[in-house]
Amino acid sequence: MVIKPKVRGFVCITAHPAGCAANIDEQIAYVKAQGPLPKGPKKVLVIGASTGYGLASRIAAAFGSGAATIGVFFERPSEPDKPATPGWYNSAAFTKAAKAAGLYAKNFNGDAFSDALKTEVLAAIKADLGQVDLIVYSLASPRRTHPKTGVVHKSTLKPVGQSYTNKTVDTDKGIVSEITIEPASETEIADTQAVMGGEDWEMWINALDEAKLLAPGATSVAYSYIGPSVTWPVYKNGTIGLAKNDLERAAKSINATLKCNGYGRAFISVNKALVTQASSAIPVVPLYISMLYKVMKAKGNHEGCIEQIDRLYRTQMYGGTGLLFDDAGRVRIDDWEMQPDVQEAVAKLWPEVCTENLSALTDIAGYRTEFLKLFGFGVPGIDYEADVNPHVELGG
Ligand code: NAD
């Protein structure tokens, strides 16, 4: 099968196995080039491990400190005439590379919110690893079937309290326009919290704790985002931001649980805005990212997921200064994004950008390249005219 990108709005419905595998190789090479991380994690569970920040967390643990990893994700395998999702190909390539390096790697493709999957994962930890010393919670999901009530909650990306009007970009067509988003209802606010808040993270940790599968001193981290005030109505102060507040609440309660368990810890790391499948679905944010990339690349401190997580591990979690918390008790690996000169430069660009000058004033080209790369396209060295087998075993 010759596989070409088919972009539909903010998703690409095809993915290229060889391109995804090359992306994994690139991330592994980056981590190896930074040298070993001797104090790094050894037995790691990553929930949301197949793309974006969770995938980077898995790769940095495996190839930084030789960790055994269990990855949980929700991906679609290939069908007779349809390629799999990128997270499937990413996980297959990761697993192959980890095993070639002599590392344990096991995958669970299913619904992380369900009790059934949790039970399966716990059994594998017990049988194969004994305990885990790092649990990364990196889910980004549009919906959650609640395991106790059976209710299906859908998350929304809306402002709270009042409507929000601002510029947005159709990244595919390169058109800048104004968008007005109506405020969320109380039900939408509660539903988004049920999907993207902290309850499921707590359920995972409580289940691991009860089964005595947490190593003494175990760490757990979940990821959040804050960003500049221009996006706050749709992010920080919107439905997703309120859900993230609940994730912060959960971090405190999980921290208390882990503290009792040999001085473990749980915290939120606030990460940089990056092109991922999750962020491309948020209105306004892709336009901000296009400007941010332009400014940070010019400054020379642009990072992707792997650079962010590798820096988090090396400079705070497993070396360097140790954890540094902001006033609200969060780790800020978005520090370079939030530097005043970076934010001032973006704020200056914001009112000026329109369809006509989008390419000149922003890194929309870089955004598109990164977006296609998420699906394994536009990767140097890959022959996209060649016939490729879309049916790849997940392994592990
Ligand atoms: P992503 O879309 O790349 O990854 C989401 C992961 O969740 C995938 O592995 C997917 O398979 C998995 N998943 C989704 N639903 C699932 C389910 N029901 N069961 C099992 N697995 C499921 O997202 P991302 O951008 O890497 O986001 C991860 C976290 O990082 C989120 O909490 C997000 O808010 C946060 N974050 C993202 C950004 C950004 O700019 N992308 C910035 C800061 C923080």
Side-chain angles (χ1 to χ4, degrees):
M1 184 185 234
V2 174
I3 309 175
K4 300 276 173 166
K6 282 190 192 160
V7 178
R8 302 278 181 271
F10 54 78
V11 288
C12 177
I13 59 168
T14 51
H16 200 281
C20 289
N23 288 338
I24 298 296
D25 289 346
E26 188 184 295
Q27 293 199 34
I28 292 172
Y30 176 83
V31 173
K32 282 186 173 169
Q34 311 312 305
L37 185 60
K39 293 187 186 144
K42 298 289 181 231
K43 294 176 181 181
V44 180
L45 169 62
V46 181
I47 303 156
S50 54
T51 55
Y53 275 115
L55 172 65
S57 306
R58 189 178 195 188
I59 293 173
F63 291 92
S65 54
T69 61
I70 292 184
V72 175
F73 44 82
F74 204 22
E75 301 294 342
R76 185 179 46 71
S78 60
E79 288 165 24
D81 54 355
K82 204 172 172 189
T85 51
W88 178 279
Y89 293 137
N90 291 340
S91 301
F94 167 83
T95 305
K96 199 170 162 197
K99 290 199 169 165
L103 301 174
Y104 172 96
K106 198 167 182 83
N107 298 313
F108 288 88
N109 185 38
D111 184 8
F113 296 126
S114 70
D115 285 345
L117 193 93
K118 287 186 178 74
T119 304
E120 272 184 60
V121 172
L122 263 57
I125 294 172
K126 189 171 184 186
D128 298 349
L129 304 182
Q131 290 181 319
V132 283
D133 56 64
L134 172 65
I135 304 97
V136 178
Y137 190 82
S138 187
L139 287 187
S141 176
R143 71 185 65 80
R144 171 181 177 215
T145 304
H146 197 282
K148 308 299 173 204
T149 63
V151 172
V152 179
H153 301 278
K154 289 187 179 158
S155 66
T156 45
L157 295 158
K158 289 190 178 180
V160 169
Q162 56 194 42
S163 65
Y164 168 59
T165 301
N166 213 321
K167 284 181 187 178
T168 194
V169 66
D170 179 325
T171 51
D172 193 25
K173 299 196 176 92
I175 295 172
V176 179
S177 62
E178 209 171 70
I179 185 174
T180 296
I181 317 167
E182 294 307 322
S185 66
E186 289 301 321
T187 311
E188 287 173 320
I189 295 169
D191 277 339
T192 307
Q193 178 173 315
V195 181
M196 291 299 287
E199 188 191 25
D200 182 61
W201 183 22
E202 288 178 291
M203 285 178 168
W204 272 101
I205 299 296
N206 289 341
L208 288 161
D209 189 34
E210 277 162 27
K212 306 211 175 335
L213 299 177
L214 295 168
T219 295
S220 190
V221 59
Y223 300 134
S224 187
Y225 181 65
I226 294 178
S229 56
V230 71
T231 64
W232 282 3
V234 71
Y235 200 96
K236 180 176 165 287
N237 299 335
T239 47
I240 181 71
L242 296 191
K244 292 292 186 186
N245 290 348
D246 187 62
L247 199 67
E248 289 188 25
R249 175 206 55 76
K252 293 191 180 80
S253 105
I254 293 170
N255 190 50
T257 304
L258 293 180
K259 224 174 179 173
C260 296
N261 182 53
Y263 299 100
R265 59 201 175 160
F267 62 95
I268 298 286
S269 171
V270 181
N271 299 351
K272 180 193 180 194
L274 283 174
V275 183
T276 66
Q277 290 183 68
S279 70
S280 56
I282 309 175
V284 185
V285 168
L287 183 59
Y288 166 72
I289 291 179
S290 304
M291 295 183 205
L292 181 73
Y293 276 28
K294 178 97 176 174
V295 171
M296 293 187 80
K297 283 179 184 175
K299 203 181 167 194
N301 64 358
H302 172 69
E303 296 175 298
C305 289
I306 197 66
E307 290 86 357
Q308 276 269 290
I309 300 301
D310 189 83
R311 184 157 70 90
L312 174 66
Y313 284 1
R314 280 174 206 276
T315 66
Q316 295 209 30
M317 285 174 70
Y318 299 108
T321 54
L323 295 180
L324 299 175
F325 296 109
D326 69 7
D327 293 348
R330 303 167 297 219
V331 167
R332 302 298 298 267
I333 211 74
D334 66 341
D335 48 351
W336 296 354
E337 169 182 354
M338 299 315 290
Q339 280 170 353
D341 58 334
V342 170
Q343 287 304 318
E344 278 159 25
V346 173
K348 195 163 168 283
L349 284 174
W350 192 268
E352 294 172 24
V353 170
C354 60
T355 303
E356 290 67 35
N357 62 22
L358 182 69
S359 298
L361 294 190
T362 79
D363 187 28
I364 188 72
Y367 185 100
R368 287 197 188 110
T369 303
E370 282 297 307
F371 178 77
L372 286 175
K373 203 175 164 198
L374 296 178
F375 302 88
F377 295 110
V379 179
I382 303 296
D383 179 359
Y384 290 98
E385 301 304 326
D387 206 28
V388 62
N389 180 6
H391 311 301
V392 176
E393 290 292 323
L394 193 52

